[in-house]
Amino acid sequence: MPKTTAASTATQDAPITGAIPKRKNVMGRQVSYVTFDGPEPDAGSTIEFTAINGIAYRATVADSVTVDGKVTCELSDGPHVATK
Amino acid sequence: MTLAIRPTADVTISIVATAPATVDETGYEALTGFSEISGADNLGELGPMKETGNFTPIKGSQQFYRTIRTASAFDMSPADLPADAGQIACKAAFDADNGTEAETVTILVEDAAGYKTYFRTLITKFARQYGGAADLQVRNISFQPDPSTFVEVTP
């Protein structure tokens, strides 16, 4: 069961699976995103997700938006491979 | 019909020392910490190829067949920028001991539309070139990609 860190502002209630990490070049700055099926985490929270390649990652959410049930989170840190 | 051509201008090449967790789009897209190699002047051909062999029978025409997958080495000569994070990362990989994990780096080449090419590569040359009085000092960097690690990503 994924856990949030002490710095989190929201609890991750359920495992996030099938997530798709992406990175965009925004005005010369590399910005990481992850897309998955909701719910939407709060800004500042730390999430763990299993990507479609089967690897578990951990990341900190900067901002989120939900469109048609798909959540896209901009990340302020990570994703990093989650080590147990 | 207008062709969706993509100019090479503003294509960037970036480097990170870490390897992806999986050598696929997801693994590469989850990597962070890329540093642009500033001042790149030319990027050439990036991708795998198959070498060919041939067999010439006494009777009949020569036959060609595909053999191993390989990748061409390529060079570029950016302006020599000793404080540039990307060039510093290239130097670190070049200086790493042979056979160590640190000698192989991940490269991202991306155009303004978001088309990307990722691969893992050795850095086989990191040399300053002075030239003559009318020349700029440039940094000749040679790459030998691992042919099994190329992944192209569309936006």
Side-chain angles (χ1 to χ4, degrees), chain B residues 87-99:
Chain B
Q87 292 192 23
I88 289 170
C90 289
K91 183 178 189 309
F94 177 77
D95 289 342
D97 290 337
N98 293 353

Side-chain angles (χ1 to χ4, degrees), chain B residues 5-99:
Chain B
I5 57 174
R6 303 197 311 279
T8 300
D10 295 331
V11 167
T12 58
I13 179 170
S14 304
I15 182 172
V16 68
T18 47
T22 54
V23 180
D24 54 19
E25 178 174 338
T26 305
Y28 278 123
E29 287 283 280
L31 282 177
T32 58
F34 281 91
S35 298
E36 183 177 346
I37 304 172
S38 302
D41 65 330
N42 195 310
L43 288 171
E45 177 183 272
L46 304 176
M49 59 176 285
K50 293 280 184 73
E51 290 192 345
T52 55
N54 65 78
F55 173 69
T56 308
I58 295 172
K59 181 180 179 181
S61 61
Q62 189 176 44
Q63 297 177 21
F64 291 91
Y65 56 92
R66 300 196 301 176
T67 62
I68 60 171
R69 173 185 284 249
T70 186
S72 300
F74 73 96
D75 310 301
M76 65 178 193
S77 299
D80 184 32
L81 304 169
D84 179 70
Q87 292 192 23
I88 289 170
C90 289
K91 183 178 189 309
F94 177 77
D95 289 342
D97 290 337
N98 293 353

Side-chain angles (χ1 to χ4, degrees), chain A residues 19-25 28 30 32-33 49 51-55 57 77-81, chain B residues 12 14 20-22 24-32 34 36 108 110 116 118 153-155:
Chain A
I20 302 173
K22 282 282 188 183
R23 188 165 7 76
K24 292 180 184 175
N25 188 331
Q30 293 284 336
S32 291
Y33 298 83
F49 60 88
I52 55 175
N53 60 353
I55 304 297
Y57 295 93
D77 184 49
H80 305 291
V81 175
Chain B
T12 58
S14 304
T22 54
D24 54 19
E25 178 174 338
T26 305
Y28 278 123
E29 287 283 280
L31 282 177
T32 58
F34 281 91
E36 183 177 346
L108 161 63
E110 181 176 13
K116 304 173 187 176
Y118 288 101
V153 175
T154 55

